[in-house]
Amino acid sequence: MALMIGLAAAVAGAKPVPGTATSDEYLGLQRPSTAQQLERNWVPDPRRTVHYVAPAEADPAVRRYLRHNIALFRRDIATAQSPLFLFLPGTGGAPDHSKWLLSAAADQGYRAIGLMYDDMPATAEACSHDPDPTCAGRLRAKRIFGEPVSDDIDDLPAEAVVSRLVATLKWLAAHHPDEGWETYLDAQGAPLWSRIAVSGHSQGAGIAAFIAKRREVARVALFSSPWDYYHAMVDGTDQRVVAPWVSAPESATPPDRWFAVLHAAEPQARNILKAYRALRVPAAHVHVLALPPRGKGSAHGSVSSDFTTPLDAAGAPAYLGDWRFLLGQPVAGPTG
């Protein structure tokens, strides 16, 4: 669908629609990260180990969305029992957009991975034409687990989030065998979710929430999402109803492990709060942020983006305390 829209715009001579196959936003994600993209925004720390993993090198079957994955940890505090912090960027985003957040996770004792995935189109865009209440859940199941249950996106199985994560962990284990990356995989080579904290921004947060509903994870940290919904007539008016996968009472991950933030000024704030309540995130675990975004950035992106998150007087992220609250004190889990 996105490809057809993009081609139609090109034929008509119109400006490409953001997020479609001819837009700069889309095309920028189809190439490996540049050295400048990988190095910008790092705060130097000699105790930090950083690895850049090209998705197509980790798995040659990955053909799209090729910006580098980022893996890092602090050598002085990470141990064999450290949990993994998995962060998924939002629509049109890349792992190198949130280095400060990844660094915050490493500073709290996690090993951290910022993972690239097929992050276009967004769930709301792909399902906007589909009246089926299950559209969002089916799309996420395909994008995350590679299940062939949705025709709304053309994601390849090797490009599914779980497939990419497994390939990245295996690459890290093979190239850095003394660092323990293989301990986040079980005996069958699948993610050992009990040792993984799942997180993301926007679409990435929706993915993290979907995983946590299906798998028991170490922790959930949501940044401004999900807001999956469908349209339904309620009392004679067209209303947005929370998608069934969000409101379903079943969750493999217990409520006390769910944490979330959003910005008070973002356009979807009301729907995000509604989703957090439907997900049964404890009210005390939700922080509503309110500082003005840096530069010309959006309130939505400012909760986690290196480019727009507000800074304090010392030049550090002003939301660092909120990030630490979401991340918590890592709890050692089983190693195999």
Side-chain angles (χ1 to χ4, degrees):
M1 176 67 70
L3 179 60
M4 293 174 64
I5 295 173
L7 290 176
V11 170
K15 183 178 180 180
V17 177
T20 60
T22 59
S23 70
D24 291 340
E25 184 181 36
Y26 173 89
L27 295 174
L29 300 177
Q30 310 313 313
R31 300 181 291 269
S33 305
T34 65
Q36 180 183 18
Q37 288 167 336
L38 292 175
E39 295 300 330
R40 68 188 173 194
N41 294 327
W42 282 123
V43 176
D45 189 332
R47 302 164 297 181
R48 184 188 300 137
T49 292
V50 180
H51 304 302
Y52 303 120
V53 184
E57 183 177 347
D59 183 356
V62 173
R63 300 176 183 177
R64 300 175 298 179
Y65 298 89
L66 302 178
R67 291 283 278 272
H68 280 65
N69 304 310
I70 299 177
L72 67 153
F73 64 95
R74 282 262 304 270
R75 294 184 300 278
D76 58 325
I77 55 178
T79 70
Q81 287 73 43
S82 293
L84 176 68
F85 176 73
L86 173 65
F87 182 78
L88 298 146
T91 304
D96 57 77
H97 293 176
S98 298
K99 295 189 181 77
W100 281 339
L101 177 59
L102 292 172
S103 297
D107 290 344
Q108 287 190 237
Y110 289 92
R111 285 189 180 85
I113 290 179
L115 192 74
M116 190 67 231
Y117 66 98
D118 295 30
D119 62 22
M120 293 183 180
T123 307
E125 295 168 342
C127 289
S128 62
H129 66 287
D130 193 335
D132 185 348
T134 69
C135 179
R138 289 185 289 104
L139 185 149
R140 292 194 184 276
K142 182 174 184 177
R143 179 153 283 172
I144 298 166
F145 298 106
E147 298 174 7
V149 292
S150 173
D151 295 326
D152 294 287
I153 52 174
D154 63 354
D155 297 25
L156 303 175
E159 294 171 1
V161 168
V162 172
S163 297
R164 286 176 178 263
L165 174 60
V166 169
T168 300
L169 288 169
K170 288 182 176 179
W171 187 97
L172 287 164
H175 288 79
H176 306 283
D178 58 337
E179 293 180 358
W181 297 100
E182 72 284 352
T183 65
Y184 302 113
L185 297 172
D186 64 19
Q188 289 72 46
L192 191 60
W193 294 110
S194 61
R195 299 200 60 219
I196 301 173
V198 294
S199 181
H201 171 252
S202 196
Q203 182 182 175
I207 288 174
F210 195 92
I211 292 172
K213 292 272 279 189
R214 285 199 173 190
R215 307 285 188 267
E216 184 175 356
V217 300
R219 195 177 184 91
V220 192
L222 307 178
F223 291 82
S224 294
S225 197
W227 65 77
D228 293 9
Y229 58 81
Y230 65 97
H231 288 274
M233 296 301 294
V234 179
D235 297 329
T237 61
D238 182 21
Q239 300 198 13
R240 294 176 175 181
V241 180
V242 174
W245 79 262
V246 177
S247 57
E250 300 82 9
S251 175
T253 304
D256 63 325
R257 300 183 197 174
W258 291 73
F259 295 80
V261 299
L262 74 157
H263 197 287
E266 57 183 296
Q268 293 287 347
R270 180 175 297 182
N271 289 318
I272 294 169
L273 282 171
K274 187 186 298 184
Y276 288 170
R277 288 192 293 269
L279 288 167
R280 294 159 182 78
V281 183
H285 290 188
V286 178
H287 281 197
V288 180
L289 310 179
L291 295 175
R294 195 166 84 258
K296 298 181 179 179
S298 69
H300 178 60
S302 70
V303 299
S304 65
S305 169
D306 292 346
F307 306 110
T308 59
T309 196
L311 305 180
D312 62 20
Y319 293 142
L320 187 58
D322 299 283
W323 296 351
R324 288 172 174 163
F325 173 75
L326 262 67
L327 293 166
Q329 183 64 40
V331 178
T335 58

